[in-house]
Amino acid sequence: MLTIGGSALNTKRIIGVTYPGSVLLDLAAPMEVFHFASDTLCDDAGLTAPPYKVEIWAAQRGPTASMSGLEFNATGAIGDDITGVDTVLVPGAKSGHPEIYRDRRLLDWLQSLVGRVRRIVSVGSGTFVLAEAGLLHGRKATTHWRDADLLKRGYSHISVVKDALFTKDGAIYTSAGVAGGIDQALAMVEEDYGRALSLKVARRLVIYLRRPGEHTQLSAFLASQARTVRFGELIDWIYRSLRADLSVPRLAEMAAMSPRNFTRVFSEELGAPPAEFVRGVRVEVACRMLADGHEALGAVARECGFASEEQMRRAFQATLKQSPREFLERARAARHGVLASASEGGWAAR
DNA sequence: GCAAGGAACCGCCAAA
DNA sequence: CTTTTGGCGGTTCCTT
C-alpha cells in the first residue's frame, strides 16, 4: 500500500457539522485547509483518489443557509451512518445563545461518535458543544479567549488552556476560534501527511486568502499567523487587545525592538506595515461581528478599537471599498435572502 | 472639505 | 566582510 508521511492513502472523510445557530465561518477556514491539502497532494503525487473528502452535514440534507450569510449544500444529516468517517468538525454558535448547545439530538449523536471516528474537533465556541456532550471530561480544551472563563466556570471537570491556539487530548481537539482553526487544521494535515505538506498548504492558503474579494479577503490577516515565526504571539495579542494602544512605538515595545527595526522586520515578514496590518485586523473583526448580527455600528467600532464610527467607516473604505453599512446590508440580505446555487457540498460566500 | 499637527513609513547611513 | 539593528529626517498619509 502506498503511504505518504506515514499515512495510508485512502480517502479520509472530513465532516463539518452545522446546527441551528452555528457559525459556518468557523468551518470555512479548516475546510479550505483540507481542500488545499487534498489538491496539493493530488497535484504532487498524481493521485486518483483524493486524500481528503470534505462534507457538510446539517440537521437535514440539502441546501441550507447559515446565519453568517454563507450558504451550502448538506450532503449528510446528523444521525446518518458514520462508517468510514475520519474527522468530525464542530463549529461554535452565535454568542449569547447558550441554549443552542443543548440540542439533545446533536449531543447524543456526538457521544455516539466516540471511539468510532479518529478525531472530534471543535472550533471556537464549538468547544461548549463538546463540553455539553460530555466529551471533555478530564481533558484539556480551549475556546475563544472571551469565553474561556465561562467554560471554566461552567465545566469544572475540564482543564481549560486559556492561551492556546488549539489543544489535542487523545481523539478530541479544540481550537480558539477561526485563527486557531486554521492552525489546528494545518496541524492535522501535518499529523496525517507530514510537515512538508502542511507548510505548502499554509503558503497556498495565504496566496488564496490574499485574493481580492469580500469574505475571502477577511482572513488574510488570520492566515498570517500561520506563516510568521517571530510575531505569532504579538499578533495573537493584537487580536485580544483591539481596544488597547496599538501604535507602532507600543507594538515595538511589546516585541522588544526599536520602532525602526520593528517596522522593517514586521513589514518584511507579514507583507504589510504594522499600522496597516492593525487596521486590517480591526476591519476583519468588525466584519465578523457585523456578519454575526451585531448591528449597532457604534458598539462594533468601539469593540474593535476604532476611535469613532467615522474612523471605522474610513478603514472599511480603504480596505474593502465599501462602508460598514453596505457590508451590513449585504450580510443581512445573505442571511434572509433566497438561496442561490449551493455547490457540491462546498460553501460559498455571497 | 480644509488646514494644522501628528503618526507612519522608508531610504540612508552608521554602529554592533 | 556580511548581517542585523537603530537613529535621523524627509515625505506621505491620517486624524482632528
Side-chain angles (χ1 to χ4, degrees), chain A residues 134-148:
Chain A
L135 303 188
L136 296 176
H137 252 275
R139 290 184 190 274
K140 279 191 302 187
T142 191
T143 185
H144 192 280
W145 60 272
R146 218 179 299 156
D147 302 325

Side-chain angles (χ1 to χ4, degrees), chain A residues 34-266:
Chain A
F34 286 115
H35 270 304
F36 279 139
S38 209
D39 289 353
T40 306
L41 211 48
C42 280
D43 291 351
D44 290 0
L47 303 175
T48 45
Y52 292 112
K53 182 164 178 281
V54 179
E55 304 169 35
I56 293 188
W57 287 20
Q60 66 270 318
R61 294 163 185 251
T64 317
S66 81
M67 56 194 316
S68 9
L70 299 170
E71 48 212 48
F72 60 95
N73 184 36
T75 55
I78 290 162
D80 277 7
D81 180 25
I82 53 143
T83 307
V85 168
D86 180 81
T87 301
V88 174
L89 301 170
V90 182
K94 188 187 166 182
S95 55
H97 293 270
E99 73 277 3
I100 288 172
Y101 303 130
R102 308 245 150 77
D103 177 350
R104 211 54 250 175
R105 198 163 148 252
L106 172 68
L107 299 179
D108 289 344
W109 182 70
L110 285 173
Q111 268 168 11
S112 76
L113 300 178
V114 178
R116 300 186 59 207
V117 301
R118 190 162 61 104
R119 294 183 287 224
I120 302 175
V121 182
S122 76
V123 181
S125 58
T127 301
F128 284 86
V129 180
L130 300 192
E132 201 55 40
L135 303 188
L136 296 176
H137 252 275
R139 290 184 190 274
K140 279 191 302 187
T142 191
T143 185
H144 192 280
W145 60 272
R146 218 179 299 156
D147 302 325
D149 288 333
L150 192 63
L151 185 68
K152 213 170 219 165
R153 279 202 301 277
Y155 308 91
S156 54
H157 53 274
I158 300 175
S159 147
V160 178
V161 187
K162 199 172 174 182
D163 288 324
L165 273 178
F166 60 90
T167 65
K168 175 193 173 183
D169 191 332
I172 313 289
Y173 300 57
T174 67
S175 80
V178 182
I182 291 175
D183 283 342
Q184 183 176 49
L186 286 168
M188 286 188 271
V189 167
E190 181 168 342
E191 192 173 275
D192 293 346
Y193 297 112
R195 181 157 180 78
L197 179 66
S198 91
L199 282 174
K200 220 165 185 175
V201 172
R203 272 200 301 276
R204 198 162 162 180
L205 194 67
V206 167
I207 293 164
Y208 169 76
L209 291 171
R210 286 198 161 258
R211 287 192 316 195
E214 288 179 46
H215 285 283
T216 50
Q217 188 177 330
L218 303 184
S219 294
F221 294 96
L222 288 173
S224 61
Q225 264 172 316
R227 70 174 179 144
T228 172
V229 190
R230 264 185 101 153
F231 298 113
E233 263 179 56
L234 179 69
I235 292 169
D236 206 43
W237 179 78
I238 290 173
Y239 270 93
R240 286 184 280 117
S241 320
L242 289 183
R243 286 157 68 176
D245 172 18
L246 299 179
S247 66
V248 171
R250 177 81 182 103
L251 293 176
E253 191 190 331
M254 293 291 295
M257 296 165 86
S258 72
R260 178 67 189 96
N261 199 39
F262 171 72
T263 302
R264 175 170 37 217
V265 178
F266 189 94

